[in-house]
Amino acid sequence: MSERVALVTGGSRGIGEAICRRLAADGFTVLVASRSQEKVDAVASSIREAGHTAHGLALDLTDISTFKDIVKQIVEDFGGIHVLVNNAGVTADNLMMRISESAYDDVMQTNLKGTFFLSQAAIRPMMRQKWGRQINISSVVGLMGNVGQANYAASKAGLHGLTKSMAKELGGRNITVNAIAPGYIETDMTQNLNPDVKAAFLKQVPLGRMGQAQEIAHAVSFLASDAAGYITGQVLTVDGGLYM
Ligand code: NDP
């Protein structure tokens, strides 16, 4: 068992997978979590093949009733939770006029409500350890809004309020809570965008390109480290300069 344990939601692919790989390379025992046991086991096994420590964990953010038992089991099996990266997220894009109640609920359930209660469940072990890092992966869309993403933007803006409130409540316990707001990152979530929309979007990015999942993982690595111990309640944009 390594000294510090990191739980990463949405670790089965994309940004979450890159975060898992980076934190494992940093020396954390990484718990790769998503709804699919098969997929997280595959990511964890490939991390182990690279010589690091990782395990797959089935966790569905819409199933809040399971969180306390999952956290208890992690503490029993691995000795604690030092870093929680709330990365899992979904979209159900449409114009505001056309967003159904179920499209609103699906996005809120995973992105905000699930994250809220998993963060809550992880507080107790972090308090006992007198050390903790919670890192919420939000989005620049939560800062600047976006056409066709009112439900998603509201969920991500909600994460910013959660981040700052938790940072204020938990600072005295040596637990930092920050958000990373990615811009436009190349993953499954963005691969089906219309090329014209993509080109128009990239014109607004001073660095003129999409970001890579590893570039979010590097920022997570820093915020999870001892070096970031005096940073809390912040929203760090990693977006090629899109929002400033
Ligand atoms: P992907 O769609 O590639 O991956 C989403 C991840 O979330 C998957 O691992 C999926 O795993 C997991 N997931 C979805 N629903 C649940 C659930 N109910 N419970 C547990 N896990 C779940 O997304 P990205 O990697 O692109 O995005 C990662 C995060 O970054 C998201 O929060 C996203 O909003 C944010 N972001 C992404 C940007 C981008 O440009 N890509 C830009 C800004 C923010 P599985 O299906 O196996 O359960």
Side-chain angles (χ1 to χ4, degrees), residues 5-24 28-48 53-59 70 74 78 83 85 87:
V5 175
L7 169 61
V8 181
T9 68
S12 62
R13 61 178 185 266
I15 293 171
E17 180 179 350
I19 293 169
C20 289
R21 291 185 186 282
R22 175 62 208 252
L23 292 181
F28 287 94
T29 291
V30 174
L31 305 179
V32 184
S34 93
R35 291 167 296 188
S36 161
Q37 184 78 59
E38 198 185 331
K39 286 186 199 161
V40 290
D41 282 347
V43 172
S45 131
S46 129
I47 290 174
R48 287 196 300 274
T53 311
H55 305 273
L57 177 79
L59 182 154
I70 288 174
I74 292 171
F78 300 101
V83 176
V85 184
N87 162 78

Side-chain angles (χ1 to χ4, degrees), residues 90-136:
V90 294
T91 52
D93 296 352
N94 214 331
L95 291 175
M96 176 68 184
M97 288 282 284
R98 297 194 189 129
I99 290 177
S100 64
E101 190 173 349
S102 70
Y104 174 91
D105 285 342
D106 288 349
V107 168
M108 287 295 169
Q109 274 280 341
T110 301
N111 297 8
L112 189 55
K113 189 172 177 184
T115 297
F116 183 102
F117 285 102
L118 186 61
S119 301
Q120 183 188 63
I123 290 173
R124 205 173 291 279
M126 289 184 177
M127 279 183 171
R128 276 198 296 269
Q129 292 151 197
K130 299 185 172 54
W131 197 97
R133 299 273 191 268
Q134 296 210 11
I135 300 162
N136 297 320

Side-chain angles (χ1 to χ4, degrees), residues 10 12-13 15 34-35 60-61 87 138 152 156 183 185 187:
S12 62
R13 61 178 185 266
I15 293 171
S34 93
R35 291 167 296 188
D60 185 342
L61 276 175
N87 162 78
S138 60
Y152 179 77
K156 295 299 190 176
I185 310 299
T187 68

